[in-house]
Every structure is written in structure tokens, then in C-alpha cells.
Amino acid sequence: MSLIIDCHGHYTTAPKAMETWRNAQVAAIKNPDQMPKQSDLKISDDDLRESIEINQLKNMKERGSDMTLFSPRAAFMAHHIGDFQISSAWSAICNELCYRVSKLFPGHFYPVAMLPQSPGVDPVTCIPELEKCITEYGAVGINLNPDPSGGHWTSPSLTDRHWYPIYEKMVEYDIPAMIHVSTSCNACFHTTGAHYINADTTAFMQLVEGNLFKDFPTLKFLIPHGGGAAPYHWGRYRGLAHMLNKPQLEEHLLNNVFFDTCVYHQPGIDLLNTVIPVKNVLFASEMIGAVRAIDPQTGHQFDDTKRYIEACKLLSAEDRHQIYEANARRVFSRLDARLKKEGR
Amino acid sequence: MSLIIDCHGHYTTAPKAMETWRNAQVAAIKNPDQMPKQSDLKISDDDLRESIEINQLKNMKERGSDMTLFSPRAAFMAHHIGDFQISSAWSAICNELCYRVSKLFPGHFYPVAMLPQSPGVDPVTCIPELEKCITEYGAVGINLNPDPSGGHWTSPSLTDRHWYPIYEKMVEYDIPAMIHVSTSCNACFHTTGAHYINADTTAFMQLVEGNLFKDFPTLKFLIPHGGGAAPYHWGRYRGLAHMLNKPQLEEHLLNNVFFDTCVYHQPGIDLLNTVIPVKNVLFASEMIGAVRAIDPQTGHQFDDTKRYIEACKLLSAEDRHQIYEANARRVFSRLDARLKKEGR
């Protein structure tokens, strides 16, 4: 039996007190003497437990997944709000709560850290929070926002040296980054329907255009939401790579770039597994996330992606083992180390 | 035998003199006394003929397509350059050349118009060019750029009243619009690898969020490049529509929104035809366009999309007839009228 590792879950159900604190923080940007302290936020273990037990953990048990790699709510990262200090205080709170959840439900949740990014600020400023999360909280990966402006896309490409301080730390700790944007504050882009998917596609094409993995041969990125549009347009990307005089995508990117299974219908999962090698696909649901509804065509939750993996006729039992467990343990090597310590 | 109607082709092979004129025009934005006149551009019929015969027409004959709905080169529209006057002069030149091509190769090319859009300028200013192209040039549709800023996304959503003057004319003439952006001047977005696909996805989600077709029940949009990411994430969009209290997508959008087949590999075309009803799929290749290379996996050009349609096991002969001909004649009703006049 494989462990079922869901590599993409956010703490979307945190107690209300957290949002109240954030609202006070945002309001205080214009009235700094009203700025709440981190210590003003009081959330009991019981409140945390309840917020998980009736939500993520309930669904995990019903669906049969064993553990979730758990990061702060993506849409609430909102790196565009305020400055580095604002992002820094907010990240510290969000990451601590995910850490506490991981301690309250050992074996079920493993933290993934958000970073205190801020538009126009050198990513090197994120390193102290990153290191704290890895060394003190046991985080097994990070979420990296390629567009901290929130839909205005003012940062350099992911292949630019701008981001290298983060990549150096990722290599040092051997942690992967999920490339994940936050709320769109550009009215053209619906957050979960356009901005998320566009960001995945954009990030993939930035990697096609560049040669990042020549500089960082062991760097690992996970592109969420099934890789945005990339697998559906795999022929286009193979052709563009050729026109840009890059090696074939397998050699150019697929030692370093992985895709999750957050694609909410059977034909999409089938396409993903038709074009992307099994070794590059990691199980995920992003539950409880963007789509919280029952699919009238199936009678099941749209984001119950395990059902699609189970029903995908292309996959053997060994393929499913890779997708559910082995690939995640390889990409998230610090998770693997912890699981081995736990005898799993 | 069906007519094979390629509903998405751009004049990417126009004689060099055209680009030279454009460069002079752009240079003259800072030196208005150097501004070239439209009449300064001299391109002979022979030059036009040659630019088509050895390129698009050659490929059409080899691949077995009968006609192309032919619009100015998308990446060269570059609506972000200069002001309305600049866009207006450039559009007039581009549209006239496509019209001349249609006259030189009767039965093979039917014009589709670009519009003289300009960031921040009321779209009503595009109406005279639109009307000229329909009434004098016989254009059968238009290309509408949802982001004339070129990757900064500063215009309102396609469902905003901002665009209604265009929609009113589209309804009056019963012409569809292909939603097609131009060059990205945002370094984050590769033009054909990210910006085009993102724009398709963004436009689709804007339509999901709105209720545009309540105001314009006969308005028709063609989303190119196989609908961006929309078909691959069809479950996500069905779920989001549900969460936004919209009708099911079939009712909400699929009487008005169509997808072309510019998806450059077999699994992508198979996915498209798995999730999108046959009535909503229109044959297209965007040849000669974004991907000009031979797929080493097949030995054929990536953009030879007819091969994928032929090989798609989901489609019956009647389905292919719809995709190749019937749907295009229904969506482009002015094309249908012209074809009938020609006895086709």
C-alpha cells in the first residue's frame, strides 16, 4: 500500500481571529500606531484542532489520503499589501499556525512555508523566515510567488538572477518550491480561474526560455494546478523549445520541473498522464481550495482528485505508487527523511 | 466532401516593405515631421502573390485546406505603440493588405479585420475601420484585443460596458470576434508561449464571471489556441461557474463561445474534443504562426492540425464536417453568405 501524500494543501480554514488580525494589520498601514503585534493574535490549540478536524482531516479520511503538505492560504498571502515589514509579520503568523497544525496532527500535516515577499524588494530578505521554517518548524518546501505584485507582473522572470538567493538556499536545504501566486488585484484576472492558471503557464514558459537548471542542476520546482496550460499545449511548448534552440523538454526541464494533479475532471487528468512522464507527476488536490462544490456529473467533490487518478486507465499500480508517494518523497527529500524517522 | 475552412490565419509573411514602413512610423512618434504617409507604402500585387504562394497557399494545398480566414499578423498589431492615430494608420494598412490578398486569391482567403485599438481609448473609435472592413473589404469577422496595453492588462473585463460599442456593431453585422492579444511588452510573458494562452484563459474566465450574453444573446466569440487552458481545466470552470451561481457552462457560454483547434499535438486535440461539444469547435491552424517547426515525434509540422483532427478517434465523419465547415459557416454567417453566392 502506498502512502497517499497530497503535496498541495493550504490552511484555508484558519480560525476567524487570524483574518481579524490581518484586517487590523492592513488598516494600520495608514495608522501605524494602531499596528497589532504578532502576540496580539490568540488562537488556542482547540480552535486549531477544530478548524482542521471538521474540514481537511475529515475529507482526507473520507477520500483516503494519509497526509497533506500544508502551507498558508495562497490567496491570503497577498504580498502586494504593504511593505516587507507587513509581509514579514504576516508570514510569521501564517507559517507558525501551519507549524502548530503539523504538531497537533503528527503524521498528517507537514508544513510548507510561505515567504515574506514584497513587490520590488530583494528576495534575499526572505531568507531568515525561510531558514526559520526549515530548521525550527520542519518545513519540507516553500511556496514561491513569481508575481508578488498580485497580477501586475512587475518582477523579473524566474530565470533572472534576482531570484538566485532563494535558489541557493533551496539547493542548500534540498527543498523544492511550488510556484504559486496569490490574490489578483488586477480586475482582469479572476484569482483562481485566471491568475493561478496563467501564473503556472507563465512560469513554465519562463523556464522554457531560460537555462536556469544549468546554474542549479538540483533545483526543483513544482508547478501546481496540473501545470496550468502547459500539458494541454505540450506540442506548442515542444515546438517553441525547438525554435529557441533548447534541448527537448525532457532534458531541458523534466529533471527539475514537476506537476501536481490539481485538475478537476477525468479528461484533464488523463491528458496530464498522457503527455507528462509519471516521474514528474505528484498527487495533490488543493483541498479545501478553489473549487468547493459537488460535480453534478459525478456526484463527488470536484477536487477529489484521487478518484481521477484511480480511474485513469493509463496508469499501472506502480505508476500510481509513484504519483501518490515515491515522487513526493524524491522531490521533498526532507519529507522523506522525516517519514523514514517515523518508520514509514 | 467538406470544405476545409481554416478560421485562424495571420498575414505573417507580408513583404518586408510593410515592416520597414511600420518601423518608420514608430520612429516618427518622436519626430512627427518624419511620419510616413500611408501612400508611401508601395507593395505590388506580384509581391503580395509571391509572399502567399510560397507560404500559406503552398501549405494549404499540401495539407488539403481550402480557405483561410485571414487577418493581419497578431503580434504586429502592437496596439500599445503610440496613440489612436498611430494604430489607426497601421490598421488601415494591415487590413488593406489582407483585403488585397483576398482579391488576388479568390476563394482561398477571406479577410478578418484588426481594429485600431489603443490603450485607454474608447473602443467606439474603432467603429469606422470596422465598418469599412465589413462593407468595403468583405471582412467576415474581427480580431478583438482584450489587452491593448500588451501584457499590462489595463482594460476592463470583456463583460464591461466599455466594449459594448464594438458588440453592438458585431450584432448589427452578425460577425464574430476572435479574442486575440498581440505582442507582449511585459518581459514576464513570452508572446506566443504565455501571453496568447493566458489571454485565452483570462477571456474565458471573464465570460464565466459575467452575464454578457444576457445583453447580447447573438454575440459570438471565438477563443483561439484551443481556448487557452479552459478545456484542460473544464472541471475547474464548471465548478467555478457553479460557485458563482451561474448556469451550467453549456447554457451560460456555449451558445456564444467557440474554440479553435490551434493545439499542436494529438493528446491536446483529443482532450478538446472530449470536453467541448462538437458544435463549438472550429478548425484552425494559425499557419504560418507561432510554431514553425517539424515535430520530431511525428515528422510533420506542429501546426498541421488537420492531421490531429483526422486521427482523433472520438470524431465521426459528421463531426469532422461540423468542425471543418459547418460550424465556421454558422459562426461566420457573412462567410456563409459569400460562399453561397460562389455556389459553394
Short mmCIF file of all heavy atoms in Angstrom, two decimals, chain A residues 282-314:
data_model
loop_
_atom_site.label_atom_id
_atom_site.label_comp_id
_atom_site.label_asym_id
_atom_site.label_seq_id
_atom_site.Cartn_x
_atom_site.Cartn_y
_atom_site.Cartn_z
N LEU A 282 2.95 14.58 -9.33
CA LEU A 282 2.79 14.39 -7.88
C LEU A 282 1.32 14.57 -7.50
O LEU A 282 0.69 15.56 -7.89
CB LEU A 282 3.62 15.42 -7.10
CG LEU A 282 5.09 15.05 -6.81
CD1 LEU A 282 5.91 14.99 -8.09
CD2 LEU A 282 5.69 16.06 -5.83
N PHE A 283 0.82 13.63 -6.70
CA PHE A 283 -0.57 13.71 -6.29
C PHE A 283 -0.84 14.97 -5.47
O PHE A 283 -0.06 15.33 -4.59
CB PHE A 283 -0.96 12.48 -5.46
CG PHE A 283 -2.35 12.58 -4.93
CD1 PHE A 283 -3.45 12.55 -5.78
CD2 PHE A 283 -2.59 12.78 -3.56
CE1 PHE A 283 -4.75 12.68 -5.30
CE2 PHE A 283 -3.88 12.92 -3.07
CZ PHE A 283 -4.95 12.86 -3.93
N ALA A 284 -1.98 15.61 -5.74
CA ALA A 284 -2.40 16.78 -4.97
C ALA A 284 -3.86 17.05 -5.26
O ALA A 284 -4.41 16.60 -6.28
CB ALA A 284 -1.57 18.01 -5.33
N SER A 285 -4.49 17.78 -4.35
CA SER A 285 -5.91 18.12 -4.55
C SER A 285 -6.18 19.60 -4.33
O SER A 285 -7.19 20.12 -4.81
CB SER A 285 -6.77 17.32 -3.58
OG SER A 285 -6.54 17.75 -2.25
N GLU A 286 -5.32 20.30 -3.60
CA GLU A 286 -5.58 21.66 -3.13
C GLU A 286 -6.89 21.74 -2.38
O GLU A 286 -7.59 22.75 -2.43
CB GLU A 286 -5.52 22.70 -4.28
CG GLU A 286 -5.24 24.11 -3.76
CD GLU A 286 -4.97 25.15 -4.84
OE1 GLU A 286 -5.05 24.82 -6.02
OE2 GLU A 286 -4.64 26.29 -4.46
N MET A 287 -7.19 20.68 -1.66
CA MET A 287 -8.39 20.65 -0.84
C MET A 287 -8.07 21.23 0.53
O MET A 287 -7.04 20.86 1.08
CB MET A 287 -8.85 19.19 -0.72
CG MET A 287 -10.04 18.95 0.19
SD MET A 287 -9.59 18.73 1.92
CE MET A 287 -8.69 17.19 1.89
N ILE A 288 -8.80 22.13 1.10
CA ILE A 288 -10.04 22.78 0.65
C ILE A 288 -9.64 24.06 -0.05
O ILE A 288 -9.03 24.92 0.58
CB ILE A 288 -10.95 23.06 1.87
CG1 ILE A 288 -11.40 21.71 2.46
CG2 ILE A 288 -12.13 23.92 1.50
CD1 ILE A 288 -12.08 21.88 3.83
N GLY A 289 -9.94 24.20 -1.34
CA GLY A 289 -9.36 25.31 -2.07
C GLY A 289 -10.32 26.01 -2.99
O GLY A 289 -11.41 26.43 -2.58
N ALA A 290 -9.92 26.10 -4.24
CA ALA A 290 -10.59 26.97 -5.20
C ALA A 290 -12.01 26.53 -5.51
O ALA A 290 -12.91 27.35 -5.67
CB ALA A 290 -9.77 27.03 -6.49
N VAL A 291 -12.20 25.22 -5.63
CA VAL A 291 -13.49 24.73 -6.09
C VAL A 291 -14.11 23.87 -5.00
O VAL A 291 -13.66 22.76 -4.73
CB VAL A 291 -13.35 23.95 -7.41
CG1 VAL A 291 -14.70 23.46 -7.89
CG2 VAL A 291 -12.71 24.83 -8.49
N ARG A 292 -15.10 24.42 -4.36
CA ARG A 292 -15.74 23.72 -3.24
C ARG A 292 -17.17 23.41 -3.64
O ARG A 292 -18.10 24.14 -3.32
CB ARG A 292 -15.75 24.62 -2.00
CG ARG A 292 -14.37 25.16 -1.67
CD ARG A 292 -14.37 26.06 -0.46
NE ARG A 292 -13.07 26.71 -0.32
CZ ARG A 292 -12.68 27.37 0.76
NH1 ARG A 292 -13.48 27.47 1.79
NH2 ARG A 292 -11.48 27.93 0.79
N ALA A 293 -17.32 22.34 -4.39
CA ALA A 293 -18.67 22.01 -4.88
C ALA A 293 -18.65 20.57 -5.35
O ALA A 293 -17.60 19.99 -5.62
CB ALA A 293 -19.04 22.94 -6.04
N ILE A 294 -19.84 20.02 -5.43
CA ILE A 294 -20.01 18.66 -5.94
C ILE A 294 -20.26 18.74 -7.43
O ILE A 294 -21.09 19.52 -7.90
CB ILE A 294 -21.16 17.95 -5.19
CG1 ILE A 294 -20.71 17.66 -3.75
CG2 ILE A 294 -21.58 16.68 -5.92
CD1 ILE A 294 -21.80 17.13 -2.87
N ASP A 295 -19.52 17.93 -8.16
CA ASP A 295 -19.69 17.88 -9.62
C ASP A 295 -20.98 17.13 -9.93
O ASP A 295 -21.10 15.94 -9.61
CB ASP A 295 -18.49 17.17 -10.24
CG ASP A 295 -18.55 17.15 -11.76
OD1 ASP A 295 -19.62 17.47 -12.33
OD2 ASP A 295 -17.52 16.83 -12.38
N PRO A 296 -21.95 17.81 -10.53
CA PRO A 296 -23.21 17.11 -10.82
C PRO A 296 -23.03 15.93 -11.78
O PRO A 296 -23.85 15.02 -11.80
CB PRO A 296 -24.10 18.21 -11.45
CG PRO A 296 -23.17 19.29 -11.87
CD PRO A 296 -21.97 19.21 -10.98
N GLN A 297 -21.92 15.95 -12.53
CA GLN A 297 -21.69 14.83 -13.47
C GLN A 297 -21.19 13.57 -12.77
O GLN A 297 -21.29 12.48 -13.33
CB GLN A 297 -20.69 15.25 -14.55
CG GLN A 297 -21.24 16.32 -15.49
CD GLN A 297 -20.26 16.66 -16.62
OE1 GLN A 297 -19.25 15.99 -16.80
NE2 GLN A 297 -20.59 17.70 -17.37
N THR A 298 -20.61 13.72 -11.58
CA THR A 298 -20.04 12.55 -10.90
C THR A 298 -20.66 12.31 -9.53
O THR A 298 -20.55 11.19 -9.01
CB THR A 298 -18.52 12.71 -10.69
OG1 THR A 298 -18.30 13.81 -9.78
CG2 THR A 298 -17.80 13.00 -12.00
N GLY A 299 -21.26 13.33 -8.94
CA GLY A 299 -21.76 13.21 -7.58
C GLY A 299 -20.68 13.34 -6.51
O GLY A 299 -20.96 13.15 -5.33
N HIS A 300 -19.45 13.64 -6.92
CA HIS A 300 -18.35 13.79 -5.97
C HIS A 300 -17.78 15.21 -6.05
O HIS A 300 -18.00 15.92 -7.02
CB HIS A 300 -17.25 12.77 -6.26
CG HIS A 300 -17.75 11.36 -6.19
ND1 HIS A 300 -18.13 10.76 -5.01
CD2 HIS A 300 -17.96 10.43 -7.16
CE1 HIS A 300 -18.54 9.53 -5.24
NE2 HIS A 300 -18.47 9.30 -6.53
N GLN A 301 -17.03 15.57 -4.99
CA GLN A 301 -16.38 16.88 -4.98
C GLN A 301 -15.45 17.00 -6.20
O GLN A 301 -14.71 16.07 -6.51
CB GLN A 301 -15.55 17.04 -3.71
CG GLN A 301 -16.35 17.03 -2.41
CD GLN A 301 -16.92 18.38 -2.04
OE1 GLN A 301 -16.36 19.41 -2.38
NE2 GLN A 301 -18.06 18.38 -1.36
N PHE A 302 -15.49 18.18 -6.84
CA PHE A 302 -14.59 18.42 -7.98
C PHE A 302 -13.14 18.14 -7.62
O PHE A 302 -12.38 17.62 -8.43
CB PHE A 302 -14.70 19.88 -8.44
CG PHE A 302 -15.88 20.18 -9.32
CD1 PHE A 302 -17.00 20.82 -8.80
CD2 PHE A 302 -15.88 19.84 -10.66
CE1 PHE A 302 -18.09 21.13 -9.61
CE2 PHE A 302 -16.96 20.13 -11.48
CZ PHE A 302 -18.08 20.78 -10.96
N ASP A 303 -12.74 18.52 -6.37
CA ASP A 303 -11.31 18.44 -6.03
C ASP A 303 -10.91 17.10 -5.40
O ASP A 303 -9.80 16.99 -4.88
CB ASP A 303 -10.87 19.64 -5.18
CG ASP A 303 -11.55 19.69 -3.82
OD1 ASP A 303 -12.32 18.75 -3.49
OD2 ASP A 303 -11.32 20.67 -3.09
N ASP A 304 -11.78 16.12 -5.51
CA ASP A 304 -11.44 14.77 -5.03
C ASP A 304 -10.63 14.07 -6.14
O ASP A 304 -11.10 13.14 -6.81
CB ASP A 304 -12.72 14.01 -4.70
CG ASP A 304 -12.44 12.67 -4.04
OD1 ASP A 304 -11.26 12.30 -3.90
OD2 ASP A 304 -13.42 11.99 -3.67
N THR A 305 -9.39 14.55 -6.30
CA THR A 305 -8.60 14.15 -7.48
C THR A 305 -8.13 12.70 -7.41
O THR A 305 -7.76 12.13 -8.43
CB THR A 305 -7.38 15.08 -7.63
OG1 THR A 305 -6.67 15.11 -6.38
CG2 THR A 305 -7.80 16.49 -7.99
N LYS A 306 -8.16 12.12 -6.21
CA LYS A 306 -7.74 10.71 -6.11
C LYS A 306 -8.64 9.82 -6.97
O LYS A 306 -8.17 8.83 -7.55
CB LYS A 306 -7.78 10.28 -4.64
CG LYS A 306 -7.26 8.87 -4.38
CD LYS A 306 -6.84 8.70 -2.93
CE LYS A 306 -6.63 7.25 -2.57
NZ LYS A 306 -7.90 6.56 -2.20
N ARG A 307 -9.91 10.17 -7.04
CA ARG A 307 -10.83 9.37 -7.88
C ARG A 307 -10.38 9.37 -9.35
O ARG A 307 -10.54 8.36 -10.03
CB ARG A 307 -12.24 9.95 -7.81
CG ARG A 307 -12.90 9.74 -6.48
CD ARG A 307 -14.31 10.33 -6.44
NE ARG A 307 -14.89 10.08 -5.14
CZ ARG A 307 -15.51 8.95 -4.81
NH1 ARG A 307 -15.67 8.00 -5.70
NH2 ARG A 307 -15.99 8.79 -3.59
N TYR A 308 -9.88 10.50 -9.82
CA TYR A 308 -9.46 10.56 -11.23
C TYR A 308 -8.19 9.74 -11.45
O TYR A 308 -8.03 9.09 -12.49
CB TYR A 308 -9.23 12.00 -11.69
CG TYR A 308 -10.32 12.99 -11.31
CD1 TYR A 308 -10.00 14.21 -10.72
CD2 TYR A 308 -11.66 12.71 -11.56
CE1 TYR A 308 -10.98 15.12 -10.37
CE2 TYR A 308 -12.65 13.62 -11.21
CZ TYR A 308 -12.30 14.83 -10.61
OH TYR A 308 -13.27 15.73 -10.26
N ILE A 309 -7.29 9.81 -10.47
CA ILE A 309 -6.06 9.01 -10.58
C ILE A 309 -6.42 7.52 -10.56
O ILE A 309 -5.88 6.73 -11.35
CB ILE A 309 -5.10 9.34 -9.41
CG1 ILE A 309 -4.71 10.82 -9.39
CG2 ILE A 309 -3.85 8.45 -9.47
CD1 ILE A 309 -3.88 11.26 -10.54
N GLU A 310 -7.33 7.15 -9.67
CA GLU A 310 -7.74 5.75 -9.61
C GLU A 310 -8.36 5.30 -10.92
O GLU A 310 -8.14 4.18 -11.37
CB GLU A 310 -8.75 5.54 -8.46
CG GLU A 310 -8.15 5.66 -7.07
CD GLU A 310 -7.11 4.57 -6.80
OE1 GLU A 310 -7.37 3.40 -7.11
OE2 GLU A 310 -6.03 4.92 -6.31
N ALA A 311 -9.14 6.20 -11.55
CA ALA A 311 -9.90 5.81 -12.75
C ALA A 311 -9.09 5.98 -14.03
O ALA A 311 -9.55 5.58 -15.10
CB ALA A 311 -11.17 6.64 -12.84
N CYS A 312 -7.89 6.54 -13.93
CA CYS A 312 -7.10 6.81 -15.14
C CYS A 312 -6.55 5.49 -15.68
O CYS A 312 -5.70 4.85 -15.05
CB CYS A 312 -5.97 7.79 -14.81
SG CYS A 312 -4.93 8.14 -16.23
N LYS A 313 -7.01 5.11 -16.85
CA LYS A 313 -6.69 3.78 -17.39
C LYS A 313 -5.24 3.68 -17.86
O LYS A 313 -4.74 2.59 -18.13
CB LYS A 313 -7.62 3.45 -18.55
CG LYS A 313 -9.07 3.34 -18.14
CD LYS A 313 -9.91 2.65 -19.21
CE LYS A 313 -11.36 2.50 -18.77
NZ LYS A 313 -12.13 3.75 -18.90
N LEU A 314 -4.57 4.82 -17.97
CA LEU A 314 -3.19 4.81 -18.45
C LEU A 314 -2.21 4.35 -17.40
O LEU A 314 -1.06 4.04 -17.72
CB LEU A 314 -2.78 6.23 -18.87
CG LEU A 314 -3.56 6.85 -20.01
CD1 LEU A 314 -3.54 8.36 -19.90
CD2 LEU A 314 -2.93 6.41 -21.32
#
